[in-house]
Amino acid sequence: MTRGDAFKLPRKLVRKYKTCDPFELARRMGMIIKFCSGFVKQRGASAIVLGNRVIFINSNLSEQMQRMVCAHELGHLLLHRACYGKEAWVLNHELFDIRDELEYEANVFAANLLIDDSEMFDFLEDGYNVVATASGLGVNVNLLMLKLIEMNKQQGFNFQVS
C-alpha cells in the first residue's frame, strides 16, 4: 500500500462502518484490543497472534493518546499486511516517527481517521492556530500537521496555517 492508501482508506472505512472511533472500527473488523500495563516506553504494538489481528495499547496512557495509538496500530494492520509473517510482531517505539515509511503511513492513516475535515476547517477558518486546532480536535499537533501536509499532496490543498 502507499501513502495515498493511508490517506484514502480511513475515509472509506468511516463511510462503510459509520464511525471514526478506532476502537469500534477494530472490533467491527474482528481485531482484538488488549491494554497492557507492562509497557515502559512503548505506546503500542500490533501483531498477528494465532491468526488473530491484535492491537496492544499501553494502559498507562491518557484516553486521548490511547485513541491515537489505536488508530496508528489499526493503520499498520490494514496497510502493512505484507510485513506480518504467520506470527509476527511490529513494535512501535515512537508514534510520531516520520523517518520510517511504515510509521509515517500509519500516522497518516491515524490522522485521516481521527480528524474530520469539516471540523478542522471550522477551527482554521475561525483563526485558530494549529496547536489550538489540534487541541480542539483532541489530537496531537503532529497528526494535524501530517493531515495538512498529505491533503496538500493528495488534493492540491493549500490552506495557510499559523
Side-chain angles (χ1 to χ4, degrees):
M1 295 232 164
T2 66
R3 283 189 188 178
D5 296 318
F7 185 79
K8 295 173 188 169
L9 181 58
R11 296 166 190 264
K12 291 178 184 175
L13 293 172
V14 169
R15 281 193 303 272
K16 179 177 180 179
Y17 292 100
K18 311 245 184 295
T19 184
C20 61
D21 180 341
F23 295 103
E24 185 62 27
L25 277 174
R27 287 185 192 103
R28 288 186 189 179
M29 298 176 83
M31 297 177 194
I32 299 167
I33 299 171
K34 294 286 185 187
F35 292 90
C36 306
S37 60
F39 288 155
V40 178
K41 290 184 178 182
Q42 193 168 344
R43 294 179 181 173
S46 52
I48 300 196
V49 180
L50 301 174
N52 296 299
R53 296 176 295 177
V54 184
I55 295 172
F56 298 92
I57 299 173
N58 186 331
S59 61
N60 299 313
L61 299 173
S62 69
E63 285 183 34
Q64 179 185 24
M65 185 56 74
Q66 287 178 357
R67 187 171 164 261
M68 287 187 282
V69 170
C70 186
H72 175 92
E73 296 303 334
L74 180 61
H76 276 305
L77 286 170
L78 295 173
L79 296 169
H80 305 135
R81 291 182 196 146
C83 297
Y84 292 91
K86 186 175 178 184
E87 301 295 329
W89 284 82
V90 174
L91 302 177
N92 297 305
H93 295 283
E94 184 58 45
L95 182 64
F96 301 112
D97 184 0
I98 59 171
R99 295 167 294 172
D100 179 273
E101 187 69 21
L102 298 180
E103 293 302 312
Y104 186 90
E105 288 173 358
N107 287 329
V108 169
F109 177 92
N112 283 288
L113 179 63
L114 297 175
I115 301 170
D116 179 75
D117 292 0
S118 62
E119 288 181 54
M120 177 187 70
F121 287 129
D122 287 346
F123 278 102
L124 295 172
E125 288 170 352
D126 285 345
Y128 288 87
N129 66 25
V130 291
V131 175
T133 299
S135 178
L137 295 170
V139 297
N140 182 287
V141 69
N142 294 305
L143 284 186
L144 178 59
M145 293 304 295
L146 283 174
K147 181 169 180 90
L148 292 169
I149 289 167
E150 287 302 313
M151 285 181 90
N152 188 43
K153 288 179 186 174
Q154 300 294 325
Q155 300 174 338
F157 170 77
N158 191 13
F159 195 88
Q160 299 298 317
V161 294
S162 54

